[in-house]
Amino acid sequence: SASNLAVTHEDIIEVFSECLVHADCDGQLATACGNVDAEFNDICSRKFAVPLYCSPTCRTGGCGPLGDALPNAPGPFCQPCDACVLESSSSYPDGVNPCPSWCEGFNVTETGTFAKEHDTLVASVNERPAKDLKTHLLGEFTLMAWVRDFRTQWMFEKYVHLPGLNAHEGYDNATEMLACWQMGATEVRYRNRWDEKEMTVIQNPLSHLVTGSDSWHFVALSKVSYSKNSMRFDTLRWSVDGVMSDVPM
């Protein structure tokens, strides 16, 4: 018998780096929120590039050079500006504001909104998909995130600029961006071809391990799509805290 083995290694991109002062985080951006407990926090939609400040705590999880610091681990680390209002001034030297000047306007209100006059919307209108809308979207990806009962929020989303597809599910008329896939803790939505009006929905059979819990959980999703003899094959696997589940497709 014969077998093929492919081993890949992805370098870790440090997002929430170690810091000593706010200036160490100045100029850095992340599409993430730090104030995860704020109800209806618009920044948690991950559609905004948010500046960072030096926080005494890793509120997001995934901090440090290896990205292995757990949520609420002691820092200091660079964190999204929407969380700076949660900091105690006693955690900083005298006269140092927990919220540096570049965090202004990113403080989430009681209703979960923030000042959107900043040019922070992440939408690359120059991105173009394959010209043939009937092209099958093959390939593979793995998504990983720390979550805490994110039943109503997408953790990851992928959009492309495609004008004129108003009738398609997951289409934003204002930006003319079409959703390729969306992943939450309980389900994933994706389309096999650009011209598909409705997205395929696959439920996470392990979602009961996440929902209704106030603890943090490590959720991962791996999807592989390939073509053989003019036939398409898909495999999808969920993982929650190391518990694996294959999902037939």
Side-chain angles (χ1 to χ4, degrees), residues 14 60 106 166 169:
E14 188 174 2
T60 58
F106 287 90
N166 307 60
E169 180 183 2

Side-chain angles (χ1 to χ4, degrees), residues 85-148:
V85 295
L86 304 177
E87 308 294 0
S88 171
S89 58
S90 62
S91 300
Y92 295 84
D94 290 343
V96 175
N97 190 334
C99 294
S101 58
W102 55 84
C103 285
E104 183 179 355
F106 287 90
N107 298 334
V108 179
T109 67
E110 293 181 357
T111 60
T113 58
F114 70 106
K116 295 187 177 67
E117 66 268 16
H118 298 277
D119 184 18
T120 57
L121 184 62
V122 179
S124 177
V125 297
N126 295 320
E127 186 177 5
R128 294 293 185 270
K131 293 182 180 179
D132 184 2
L133 295 183
K134 297 185 182 298
T135 298
H136 284 280
L137 307 179
L138 304 177
E140 61 182 281
F141 61 81
T142 300
L143 305 173
M144 298 174 287
W146 286 95
V147 302
R148 184 170 63 179

Side-chain angles (χ1 to χ4, degrees), residues 18-28 52-54 78 96 100 102:
E18 297 175 340
C19 58
L20 294 176
V21 294
H22 288 321
D24 294 336
C25 308
D26 188 13
Q28 299 185 43
L52 309 182
Y53 74 103
C54 190
C78 294
V96 175
W102 55 84

Side-chain angles (χ1 to χ4, degrees), residues 13-19 25 28-37 41 43-44 46 48 50-84 86-87 144-150 153 155-156 215-219:
I13 300 176
E14 188 174 2
V15 178
F16 305 116
S17 57
E18 297 175 340
C19 58
C25 308
Q28 299 185 43
L29 299 172
T31 53
C33 63
N35 190 358
V36 296
D37 290 325
N41 186 349
I43 294 179
C44 290
R46 295 182 180 269
F48 300 93
V50 184
L52 309 182
Y53 74 103
C54 190
S55 169
T57 306
C58 177
R59 296 182 177 276
T60 58
C63 300
L66 299 180
D68 56 355
L70 299 177
N72 297 321
F77 298 104
C78 294
Q79 290 287 271
C81 273
D82 64 303
C84 69
L86 304 177
E87 308 294 0
M144 298 174 287
W146 286 95
V147 302
R148 184 170 63 179
D149 199 14
F150 279 2
Q153 296 176 343
M155 297 181 296
F156 297 100
S215 302
W216 286 92
H217 301 276
F218 186 73
V219 177

Side-chain angles (χ1 to χ4, degrees), residues 202-222:
I202 301 293
Q203 300 293 328
N204 178 1
L206 303 176
S207 62
H208 62 281
L209 301 177
V210 181
T211 56
S213 170
D214 194 44
S215 302
W216 286 92
H217 301 276
F218 186 73
V219 177
L221 169 71
S222 297

